[in-house]
Amino acid sequence: MRLWENYIRNVEPYVPGEQPHGEKIIKLNTNENPYPPAPGVLKALKEMNWEEFRKYPDPSANLLVDALADYYGLGKDQIFVGVGSDDVLGMAFLTFFNSGKPILFPDVTYSFYPVWAGLFGIPYETPVLDEEFGIRIQDYKRENGGIVIANPNAPTGLCLPLEQVEELVRANEDVVVIVDEAYIDFGGESARSLIGRYENLLVVQTFSKSRSMAGMRIGYAMGSPKLITALNHVKYSYNSYTMNQPSIILGTEALKDKEYFKSRVEAIVNTRERAKRRFGELGFSCTDSYTNFLFVTHEHIPAKELFEALRREQIYVRYFGAPRLKDYLRVTIGTEEDMEAMYHFLESY
Ligand code: PMP
């Protein structure tokens, strides 16, 4: 072994869900949206000029930042964009969690949080969710180096009401509180309405789920100008061109079609509510999801066994296997057709 090998950064990486390929696959494992992006996005893609590829992108992604500011009625100094919300969240960890005190996030939540903490050497503690997987606000009223919660939470799908998010932010005005709202468009109330009142609140959202654009990698944060300036300083110290020009253009297009957005979100929510009933009839129980996935457990059949049986049928769902999650599957809401094919198999199984 050479000396340099001792100096390699040792990290425990995040493991993303499988991306299997094939025609007959039913893919319900990574919370993608089963519907196409807005028609305007596909039109803009077809009409895109090669100049957009030849030149460097606009490092400040102004077109998209302006469009998001308009869309939400915020100032452009309140918006930061990045390569999916993973990029935005990673930058936020790097920018804001530097006190040396442990940051707090729930024991069951998005499994990338401990990975970023590990990568950046940020100490952390993980208050335990209650028996029903609920966040206990009182656990976050103690000294800490910052807080991050996913709301709605993943993989549970549960959502804290806005008043409780506000209580958490108000009790922690000396640290930055990040609310990861990757799934907020499918239910719950965004904490965006609070950012004018709390300078320490950063709300992070994505185009990957509700806007069907996971492959384009577009995420954004909304917060006070102080937080956004700090994020930009870190970004420009690492890579000025995080966002590629096609993503900037196509993300902007996606925001224009509010009707389409509303209709697709509604379709997924309807399928989800039907899925809750159908899973119930099949002997499953599930948490009251406000997202585009369900967190389900069967009364008799072990989750791992079901995961493997479904996989053999080319139906992909997510199994985590961690101690508190080992009895559960996370099932993304697909089209009605995909869901029917899954129920059909589960019935026969
Ligand atoms: N936050 C949560 C809670 C998620 O589940 C995901 C999806 N893996 C992300 C953030 C990241 O999504 P993206 O980088 O595609 O925006």
Side-chain angles (χ1 to χ4, degrees), residues 141-200:
K141 294 184 177 174
R142 56 172 145 125
E143 203 181 0
N144 64 70
I147 292 174
V148 54
I149 58 163
N151 200 47
N153 199 8
T156 64
L158 297 173
C159 196
L160 276 182
L162 186 59
E163 308 82 71
Q164 288 194 34
V165 176
E166 179 164 13
E167 190 183 329
L168 193 146
V169 178
R170 202 184 316 117
N172 287 282
E173 291 202 73
D174 284 331
V175 296
V176 172
V177 177
I178 301 175
V179 183
D180 173 358
E181 294 189 338
Y183 301 101
I184 196 72
D185 293 327
F186 301 106
E189 213 180 328
S190 173
R192 185 178 55 247
S193 58
L194 304 176
I195 62 177
R197 262 178 288 154
Y198 299 95
E199 272 198 320
N200 61 321

Side-chain angles (χ1 to χ4, degrees), residues 72-86:
Y72 291 117
L74 295 169
K76 57 180 299 187
D77 56 354
Q78 292 177 296
I79 309 270
F80 175 82
V81 295
V83 186
S85 51
D86 280 341

Side-chain angles (χ1 to χ4, degrees), residues 220-233:
Y220 53 104
M222 297 169 280
S224 61
K226 273 190 198 163
L227 296 187
I228 299 304
T229 301
L231 277 170
N232 274 312
H233 285 170

Side-chain angles (χ1 to χ4, degrees), residues 84-86 89 110 154 180 182-183 206 208-209 217:
S85 51
D86 280 341
L89 288 162
Y110 185 31
D180 173 358
Y183 301 101
T206 178
S208 295
K209 322 290 177 180
R217 313 302 301 126

Side-chain angles (χ1 to χ4, degrees), residues 296-309:
V296 305
T297 181
H298 194 268
E299 54 191 343
H300 305 305
I301 313 173
K304 188 158 190 282
E305 178 186 325
L306 275 175
F307 166 73
E308 283 161 1

Side-chain angles (χ1 to χ4, degrees), residues 2-3 8 85 105 142 152-153 168 175 213 263 337:
R2 292 286 173 182
L3 200 56
I8 289 176
S85 51
F105 50 83
R142 56 172 145 125
N153 199 8
L168 193 146
V175 296
M213 293 176 80
S263 78
E337 235 181 343

